[in-house]
């Protein structure tokens, strides 16, 4: 550039000294820019992250089954060889202890004479089944004349696997939902079988429902049994989980770099998941994991509040 200007000055004389300043600076800047190598620094994309923190979870077990009598009393005649002359109650009737359910007559006595024999309810409750038929012979060796649900109380009976059976014990609280009725308060595990069916490998569990006139034997119900509360493990949002061939993966941000970890999950509730292995309290995890992030990717972590993720 200098040699070119000197040559033009020598040719044109002093008038060539009047060179537009802007033109000179523009040309000079182009030469300077060409001599400096271009550099580009990539800081990565902004990514929403949240810290893993200890959270309390209710450990629950869900079972399903049907409603059955909590206690059932079978009513049979005290005398043999008598005919059923009257049936005084039907299935579904409420009865008191000592109430007459049927009358029996001695077939050897002339009709209209002799005192009838009364079959009475031994307990108060609900008649679950009435098999007595007028004109048939009553016998203690035959089918019971009546089946009474003592106190009218029903309970949920369910068959569950041996693995889940081992978690349960009598006295655990439960929430019960009955189809057509809704949720019932005050449920509690009453009975857990000590044996299992060798063919099905299932064991029996009974959950008390309490007395409710809306309940009927055979209704379908579901119980959620509370096994306890755990608060010693870190939790992260469920949206942070990725599922692959190697298992469940969580993407962690360390020193503004993405790092993938295989984790073992536990209990889940309200959009949160308990992490048993792979993540500890304080780890910064990608709140909404996506396939577009890879190990080693540089990112700008943006911390978001739990309420924005877990609502």
């Amino acid at each position: 550039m200098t040699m070119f200007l000197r040559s033009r000055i020598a040719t044109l004389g002093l008038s060539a000294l009047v060179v537009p300043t802007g033109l000179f600076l523009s040309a000079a800047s182009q030469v300077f820019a060409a001599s400096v190598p271009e550099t580009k620094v990539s800081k990565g994309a902004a990514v929403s992250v949240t810290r893993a923190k200890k959270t309390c979870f209710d450990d629950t077990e869900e079972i399903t089954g049907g409603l059955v009598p909590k206690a059932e009393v079978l009513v049979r005649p005290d005398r043999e060889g008598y005919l059923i002359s009257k049936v005084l109650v039907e299935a579904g009737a409420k009865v008191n202890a000592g109430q007459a359910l049927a009358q029996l007559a001695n077939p050897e006595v002339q009709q209209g004479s002799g005192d009838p024999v009364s079959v009475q309810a031994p307990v108060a409750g609900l008649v679950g089944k009435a098999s007595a038929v007028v004109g048939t012979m009553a016998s203690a060796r035959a089918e019971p004349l009546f089946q009474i649900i003592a106190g009218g109380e029903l309970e949920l009976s369910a068959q569950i696997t041996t693995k889940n059976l081992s978690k349960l014990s009598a006295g655990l609280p439960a929430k019960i939902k009955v189809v057509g009725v809704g949720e019932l308060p005050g449920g509690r595990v009453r009975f857990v079988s000590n044996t299992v069916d060798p063919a099905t490998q299932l064991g029996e569990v009974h959950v008390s429902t309490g007395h409710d006139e809306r309940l009927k034997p055979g209704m379908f119900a579901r119980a959620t049994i509370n096994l306890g509360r755990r608060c010693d493990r870190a939790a992260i949002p469920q949206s942070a989980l990725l599922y692959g061939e190697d298992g469940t993966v969580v993407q962690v941000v360390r020193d503004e770099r993405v790092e993938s970890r295989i984790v073992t999950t536990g209990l889940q509730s309200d959009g949160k998941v308990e992490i048993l292995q792979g993540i500890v309290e304080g780890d910064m995890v990608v709140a909404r994991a996506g396939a577009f992030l890879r190990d080693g990717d540089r990112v700008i972590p943006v911390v978001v509040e739990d309420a924005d993720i877990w609502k």
Side-chain angles (χ1 to χ4, degrees), residues 3 5 26 74 77 86 115 118 120 163 171 175 189 193 212 231 241 265 276:
M3 294 298 295
L5 291 176
S26 175
L74 305 180
K86 288 184 181 180
D115 294 329
S118 178
Q120 299 177 340
K163 177 182 177 180
K175 292 181 180 179
V189 176
S193 175
D212 193 313
C231 303
L241 301 180
T265 60
L276 304 179

Side-chain angles (χ1 to χ4, degrees), residues 224-293:
T224 302
I225 303 170
N226 193 331
L227 304 178
R229 193 169 177 84
R230 294 210 305 247
C231 303
D232 59 340
R233 300 297 181 94
I236 62 175
Q238 288 179 327
S239 59
L241 301 180
L242 286 172
Y243 302 95
E245 295 180 357
D246 297 329
T248 306
V249 177
V250 172
Q251 294 174 313
V252 179
V253 175
R254 292 183 60 190
D255 300 327
E256 298 186 344
R257 298 280 184 180
V258 175
E259 175 184 310
S260 296
R261 296 185 190 173
I262 296 177
V263 299
T264 303
T265 60
L267 302 175
Q268 299 185 21
S269 176
D270 299 327
K272 302 183 289 287
V273 58
E274 179 188 41
I275 302 299
L276 304 179
Q277 188 175 2
I279 296 291
V280 297
E281 185 179 16
D283 281 346
M284 197 77 73
V285 303
V286 178
R288 294 182 177 87
F292 62 89
L293 293 176

Side-chain angles (χ1 to χ4, degrees), residues 200-224:
T200 64
Q201 289 298 294
L202 299 177
E204 191 169 11
V205 177
H206 288 185
V207 180
S208 297
T209 62
H211 180 70
D212 193 313
E213 294 184 354
R214 297 173 298 172
L215 303 181
K216 301 291 186 291
M219 280 185 166
F220 182 80
R222 175 181 288 108
T224 302

Side-chain angles (χ1 to χ4, degrees), residues 4 28-29 53 70 73 94 96 104 107 129 146 155 159 162 175 191-192 226 241 261 277:
F4 172 77
S29 64
K53 63 181 182 180
K70 181 177 181 180
V73 178
K94 292 181 182 179
N96 299 317
L104 308 180
K129 186 177 180 181
F146 301 94
E155 61 185 10
Q159 301 285 325
T162 54
K175 292 181 180 179
F191 169 79
V192 179
N226 193 331
L241 301 180
R261 296 185 190 173
Q277 188 175 2

Side-chain angles (χ1 to χ4, degrees), residues 1 65 106 134 147 186 194 224 247 259 283-284 305:
M1 176 64 73
N106 188 343
V134 173
Q147 295 176 355
N194 291 323
T224 302
E259 175 184 310
D283 281 346
M284 197 77 73
E305 297 296 330

